[in-house]
Amino acid sequence: VTASATSGYGYGVNGGYKALNTYYSSGTYYLYDVTKPMSGVIRTTTAKNGTSIPGWYSVDSNNAWTAYSQGADVDAHYNAGKVYDYYYNTHNRNSYDNSGSTLTSTVHYGSNYNNAFWNGSQMVYGDGDGSTFAPLSGALDVVAHELTHAVTERTAGLQYQYQSGALNESMSDVFGYFLDSGDWLMGEDVYTPGVGGDALRSLSNPEAYGQPSHMNDYVNTSSDNGGVHTNSGIPNKAGYLTISSIGKSAAEKIYYRALTVYLTPTSDFSDARAALLQSAADYYGSGSSTYNAVANAWNQVGVY
Ligand SMILES: CCC(=O)Oc1c(C)cccc1C(=O)O
Ligand SMILES: [Ca+2]
Ligand SMILES: [Zn+2]
């Protein structure tokens, strides 16, 4: 039986051309990427707008994934490959578990579903309702955000509630920036397709989207697991200040080291400051300009 790795192409959610690592078997092409140095593969499936996952392989008859409805599949597959490459090339991490395990993305989840999530085993993306969101895999920073939830779960294990949960969220947004560093916004490529210039969140100006950027404005609430998507504005602002001061490359190093070496399931904002300072000291020395910039960033958001 002839089966093989193939190279296809398609158009993403926003119409962009994407080269795709696909697989051919018995007359059908699959979004199934066997080209990475991993024990598993990168594969994309569709829930066909139901809620059973992983659903069915995304398939095509001629390896030209150009149907409008295939945009979500194309971007989930392409963006997952980009995030895999980022973690491997920049941080020497092989997939979310650092053991090269398969990365599965399921698209077309639910109906008018304005959400994306890592379910503990795979990534899942809704199509959005066309007003609040376009299909969510269409944004590289969203895919990086979701995959970073998986990395966090396998490393620091930051509990998804209150300050540790807001940190969990912030780590996903900061790595979303590292992948999509053309702007300080999150989700801008899929958020409100009918409205230009807005986003889900802003790291440089959390207040623009109703988030605090200082401990004085920390929101004490039980909703949203203790406000994890609200209070993440505080560590996000510290992240913006840190990256702006020390540069992306140094920031990537100290953030990855903090996440994988020092943070724990119950770490709070003050622990995050300490973890990043320790990581800066490890790489650049305590008292280095990098170290001092990190301290200053967290001072500015009122975290000591
Ligand atoms: C930037 C990606 C993001 O925030 O995805 C979510 C959405 C759109 C709704 C609810 C939760 C999440 C999440 O992944 O935290
Ligand atoms: Ca962005
Ligand atoms: Zn998240």
Side-chain angles (χ1 to χ4, degrees), residues 212-241:
S213 62
H214 194 284
M215 271 317 276
N216 292 339
D217 303 313
Y218 186 93
V219 176
N220 291 294
T221 177
S222 58
S223 60
D224 187 31
N225 302 107
V228 301
H229 293 95
T230 299
N231 293 308
S232 57
I234 295 164
N236 279 1
K237 180 76 175 203
Y240 159 72
L241 293 167

Side-chain angles (χ1 to χ4, degrees), residues 83-94:
V83 181
Y84 172 86
D85 291 344
Y86 169 80
Y87 272 106
Y88 189 76
N89 297 329
T90 310
H91 302 293
N92 193 31
R93 184 181 190 83
N94 195 337

Side-chain angles (χ1 to χ4, degrees), residues 116-117 145-146 149 160 165 168-170 172-173 201 228-229:
F117 58 95
H145 179 106
E146 301 313 334
H149 276 312
Y160 205 61
N168 185 317
E169 270 301 303
S170 180
S172 278
D173 282 352
R201 292 184 287 277
V228 301
H229 293 95

Side-chain angles (χ1 to χ4, degrees), residues 36-41 84 94 97 99-102:
K36 308 296 186 185
M38 52 203 297
S39 50
V41 300
Y84 172 86
N94 195 337
D97 62 352
S99 300
S101 289
T102 289

